[in-house]
Amino acid sequence: MTPLYSRLCGTGSYLPERVLGNDEISQRVDTSDEWIVARTGIRSRHIAAADEGVVDMATVAAQRALEAAGLAADALDLIVVATTTPDQIFPSTACLLQSRLGNRGAAAFDLQAVCTGFIYALATADRFIRSQGARHALVVGVEKMSRIVDWDDRSTCILFGDGAGAVVLSASSKPGILSTHLHADGRYADLLQVPAAADTLTMQGNAVFRMAVRTLGEIVQETLAANGLEGKDIDWLVPHQANIRIIQATAEKLGLPMERVVTTVAHHGNVSAASVPLALDDAARRQCFRPGQHLLLEAFGGGFTWGSALLRWL
Ligand code: UT7
């Protein structure tokens, strides 16, 4: 039997209209544009309106991805949504999204792996397709981080933003996704969390930073080794957009110049599970990727969780 793969057939994304710049944040907490840019690379982030939920943002991103793929919503047989900030406890964001899209009958569920959520969701959909459990899958990363940010905590409020990114995967005899790698280590839960009795997130930024740099360095090597590749074989790194210094460290370990790294963190900050698909869609629409190129996607986040995906472009 010909091996079955999943191929990425379309991408889409959405950022809310309101842009919150560093100067505006520095009017509220003791920080500055210079500090934020130097330490994180972030210049602005998008903030959803009070009545704009993750389902609203996910719907636009999903519709754009379906349009790019040339696929009707009713052709989907799997919808996986990665989010840490659902509008309601249940039904799942995936079911609410399914209804908005006008799809009936597809399997639909949410998945929670914080900033690594999109990679976890992509890996899950890939496994569904490879085992013939689905032919067309929609994978979404969406967050309204502004709802769980403590706007008086200067060490975290500068980092996060809202938005959504989506991809459509379809079964194919050609790859597609070459491999995915997922990990977690729950011993570090305290370093980045929304504590049980709280509404907002807390982070020990410097400890998270050091773990992220080390762990992402390891997972890119794991991904290369699994595919018999070297750093020079990677055409594009599409990293989690949390901090430009973390991205630069990973690129350096791969031996990749920054021109080969998709960076969108400057204008949307860390959008948790939406960061990777936002970056992917941004570069796809700028037509950065060429057929046959190797893209390496990676992310690290609360849990801790971390993961990667290697794919061959269309
Ligand atoms: O998505 C995955 C999860 N998140 C991340 O990957 C984020 C990981 N962490 C980071 O990006 C960085 O650790 C931060 C950007 C959060 C902080 O940068 P840092 O270089 O690790 O700084 P630091 O936490 O070691 O703090 C250095 C100083 C401290 O002052 P003192 O103690 O040296 O006097 C902080 O109080 O910077 C101070 N500081 C600030 N100063 C101005 C912390 N936040 C700010 C701020 N403006 N917004």
Side-chain angles (χ1 to χ4, degrees):
M1 198 180 89
T2 326
L4 199 60
Y5 297 98
S6 36
R7 272 174 92 75
L8 207 151
C9 302
T11 65
S13 64
Y14 171 80
L15 287 165
E17 202 179 317
R18 169 152 155 67
V19 176
L20 175 62
N22 291 347
D23 286 335
E24 197 178 336
I25 293 193
S26 58
Q27 284 163 19
R28 181 175 178 138
V29 292
D30 182 15
T31 188
S32 65
D33 178 55
E34 296 74 41
W35 193 95
I36 301 171
V37 172
R39 302 297 253 207
T40 71
I42 300 168
R43 294 181 183 277
S44 58
R45 64 291 290 143
H46 291 248
I47 304 294
D51 61 354
E52 190 173 32
V54 294
V55 178
D56 300 312
M57 296 190 277
T59 302
V60 182
Q63 283 167 337
R64 289 176 178 165
L66 285 164
E67 194 186 327
L71 198 75
D74 58 11
L76 294 170
D77 43 25
L78 176 68
I79 300 172
V80 189
V81 175
T83 187
T84 309
T85 50
D87 298 328
Q88 49 190 99
I89 293 174
F90 75 85
S92 68
T93 307
C95 285
L96 299 171
L97 172 64
Q98 176 187 37
S99 160
R100 291 276 189 95
L101 293 175
N103 170 284
R104 278 196 205 171
F109 60 91
D110 287 5
L111 184 156
Q112 218 274 54
V114 204
C115 296
T116 319
F118 179 77
I119 303 285
Y120 266 68
L122 191 73
T124 303
D126 178 51
R127 280 159 174 75
F128 265 84
I129 287 176
R130 292 174 85 133
S131 62
Q132 303 190 17
R135 286 200 64 78
H136 300 291
L138 173 69
V139 182
V140 181
V142 58
E143 302 283 8
K144 188 169 179 176
M145 295 303 284
S146 60
R147 196 162 62 70
I148 59 164
V149 162
D150 175 354
W151 289 102
D152 293 319
D153 176 7
R154 70 173 183 173
S155 68
T156 54
C157 75
I158 57 162
L159 299 171
F160 298 97
D162 303 333
V167 301
V168 173
L169 296 179
S170 293
S172 167
S173 57
K174 290 193 228 135
I177 296 181
L178 295 165
S179 72
T180 57
H181 307 264
L182 303 178
H183 298 286
D185 190 340
R187 288 177 302 167
Y188 297 99
D190 294 355
L191 295 182
L192 176 52
Q193 61 171 334
V194 176
D199 298 326
T200 54
L201 72 81
T202 60
M203 175 167 72
Q204 295 184 31
N206 198 266
V208 175
F209 183 96
R210 281 184 276 118
M211 274 294 288
V213 168
R214 202 186 78 208
T215 311
L216 290 170
E218 285 168 7
I219 203 162
V220 294
Q221 291 309 328
E222 177 186 330
T223 313
L224 292 177
N227 291 280
L229 298 176
E230 295 176 31
K232 65 173 171 46
D233 301 318
I234 300 302
D235 297 292
W236 291 96
L237 178 66
V238 188
H240 175 45
Q241 308 286 320
N243 184 320
I244 194 71
R245 290 155 57 215
I246 299 176
I247 296 173
Q248 285 163 342
T250 309
E252 206 169 298
K253 286 184 184 174
L254 274 169
L256 272 191
M258 286 305 284
E259 302 83 66
R260 288 288 183 180
V261 183
V262 180
T263 58
T264 51
V265 66
H267 73 93
H268 63 58
N270 184 346
V271 196
S272 186
S275 289
V276 170
L278 275 164
L280 189 66
D281 185 50
D282 182 274
R285 282 175 196 271
R286 286 188 289 112
Q287 301 189 326
C288 294
F289 310 137
R290 296 274 166 268
Q293 285 191 329
H294 284 131
L295 275 58
L296 177 48
L297 282 50
E298 46 85 335
F300 177 91
F304 288 145
T305 53
W306 62 101
S308 65
L310 183 77
L311 53 98
R312 195 173 291 155
W313 190 247
L314 309 176

